[in-house]
Amino acid sequence: MQHTTTKSRIFLSSPHLSGTEIKYINEAFETNWIAPLGPNVDAFEKEIASYVGVKGSVAVSSGTAAIHLALSLLNVQKGDTVFCSSLTFVASANPILYQCAEPVFIDSEPDTWNMSPLALEEALIDAASALKLPKAVIIVNLYGQSAKMDELVSICKKYDVPIIEDAAESLGAKYKGKASGTFGDFGIYSFNGNKIITTSGGGMLISNNPDALSKARFLATQAKDPAPHYQHSELGYNYRMSNILAGIGRSQLEVLDERINQRRTIFEIYQKELAHLPFVSFLPELNNTFSTRWLTTLTINSEDAEREINRLLTAFESENIEARPVWKPLHLQPLFEKSTFYSHNKQKSISEYLFQTGICLPSGSNMTIEEQIRVIECIKKIFSK
Ligand SMILES: *Cc1c(COP(=O)(O)O)cnc(C)c1O
């Protein structure tokens, strides 16, 4: 795309180094731990587990790999169904297809934009009466905001269906004081370059079940049976995190709280400057929850929202500012066109509405106040026309 400006690019969310990453990387080089195992991997796993308050974790090559391992551990197989939030990044659901299982997509509710307890319950009632309960429910916490976990957990308990919490976008968030990602049988985090902290690429599987975690380590290292001649009875993967990248993660984790404060401050500035604009509302922070505000997202609640969003995206591009629409719901993706979808209510799908009216603003913790003012001025200009 052509830019009509020479101004420097403002990114949606770019890596923000702490400055001490190199210390951990050097240590790995000096000790020759250049492998997908080593002291940084062990320490990073312990540090994440203790930060979020779980018994253990397994460092892997991506958040997607962590979801795939969780599905394998829950024995998801061909022909099984797995329920998943519809409003999310495709990586939440792709591992369901890796296992040749069938996704069923659940709508959002308006208070957190995350999985609707109403739609989930309806889907489970149908599944129970068809004698085909899902093997798992993948609950996603979008943009740094926890889903309505009390309601969702109690519905899943009622039907005895395990939960995988996709907390790729919500590391550091809390629900009633408890860390996002820790409510299910498994939780996953991502350290991709755009997330709140990064290892350039990486992920973490967390759980309170030590046996499941050792099984995850086994599966993530090619499922080698205990024999010197490389014997295999099960299908495994090559999913472990590099000891060099785990070093970056350890350094990044030291500044996670600072990054959360910075993202929340960016949100507060946007809110102060833009909340009065006609039809604008921000992703709410549910009572008793703490959002990291990973990305500041807003909706334009007017008749011609789609046109307004397009005008904003065009204006941003010409000002060399990166912004994005809210995730396109997975039930609308060509890849999943045959999948079933349960809507929050009969009249309207909340996830479709959020997709049509929502936009994510640049929210990187390394964005300067001057850059944020450039974004704000661009929005105000569009709204004044
Ligand atoms: C980033 C992301 C993932 C995947 O994480 P990777 O580390 O990129 O594989 C999964 N789910 C959601 C909601 C994400 O935003």
Side-chain angles (χ1 to χ4, degrees), residues 261-334:
N261 286 333
Q262 289 162 325
R263 300 240 180 193
R264 286 180 62 93
T265 302
I266 285 166
F267 166 79
E268 279 157 22
I269 295 169
Y270 278 132
Q271 176 166 260
K272 183 162 156 281
E273 293 294 323
L274 303 172
H276 66 280
L277 292 173
F279 306 113
V280 164
S281 58
F282 290 88
L283 165 59
E285 186 175 37
L286 188 73
N287 276 345
N288 283 318
T289 69
F290 176 78
S291 169
T292 65
R293 296 292 181 188
W294 172 58
L295 293 185
T296 290
T297 52
L298 58 84
T299 52
I300 300 175
N301 307 292
S302 73
E303 285 297 313
D304 45 21
E306 276 185 272
R307 204 177 59 101
E308 295 292 302
I309 297 289
N310 282 329
R311 282 175 67 211
L312 270 178
L313 289 170
T314 310
F316 280 143
E317 208 41 63
S318 71
E319 290 286 322
N320 207 11
I321 295 167
E322 185 189 15
R324 290 285 168 94
V326 163
W327 296 123
K328 178 172 183 168
L330 296 184
H331 72 276
L332 300 179
Q333 297 284 359

Side-chain angles (χ1 to χ4, degrees), residues 33-45:
W33 278 107
I34 316 296
L37 77 169
N40 281 334
V41 175
D42 297 344
F44 189 38
E45 287 176 345

Side-chain angles (χ1 to χ4, degrees), residues 127-141:
S129 65
L131 301 176
K132 196 170 181 350
L133 283 171
K135 278 279 183 75
V137 177
I138 301 174
I139 299 172
V140 185
N141 305 290

Side-chain angles (χ1 to χ4, degrees), residues 15-162:
H16 186 180
L17 296 186
S18 74
T20 64
E21 288 83 0
I22 203 76
K23 182 188 91 185
Y24 291 96
I25 295 173
N26 281 341
E27 224 169 78
F29 275 77
E30 280 156 15
T31 54
N32 204 34
W33 278 107
I34 316 296
L37 77 169
N40 281 334
V41 175
D42 297 344
F44 189 38
E45 287 176 345
K46 286 205 179 75
E47 287 158 7
I48 285 279
S50 111
Y51 183 88
V52 300
V54 291
K55 284 197 183 143
S57 66
V58 178
V60 291
S61 51
S62 69
T64 311
I67 297 171
H68 191 197
L69 285 172
L71 292 176
S72 297
L73 291 163
L74 293 170
N75 198 26
V76 171
Q77 294 173 355
K78 189 172 172 167
D80 288 338
T81 54
V82 174
F83 290 2
C84 182
S85 304
S86 187
L87 189 71
T88 182
F89 181 45
V90 71
S92 303
N94 275 344
I96 303 171
L97 299 189
Y98 300 167
Q99 292 302 94
C100 302
E102 279 175 32
V104 168
F105 292 110
I106 312 293
D107 202 7
S108 302
E109 46 76 19
D111 300 335
T112 69
W113 299 14
N114 292 312
M115 188 179 280
S116 156
L118 279 177
L120 174 66
E121 178 127 54
E122 199 193 328
L124 282 169
I125 289 169
D126 282 359
S129 65
L131 301 176
K132 196 170 181 350
L133 283 171
K135 278 279 183 75
V137 177
I138 301 174
I139 299 172
V140 185
N141 305 290
L142 285 183
Y143 303 127
Q145 170 62 50
S146 292
K148 290 187 171 172
M149 294 315 296
D150 280 352
E151 291 88 336
L152 296 169
V153 167
S154 90
I155 295 167
C156 289
K157 277 221 175 94
K158 189 163 138 194
Y159 291 89
D160 200 19
V161 179

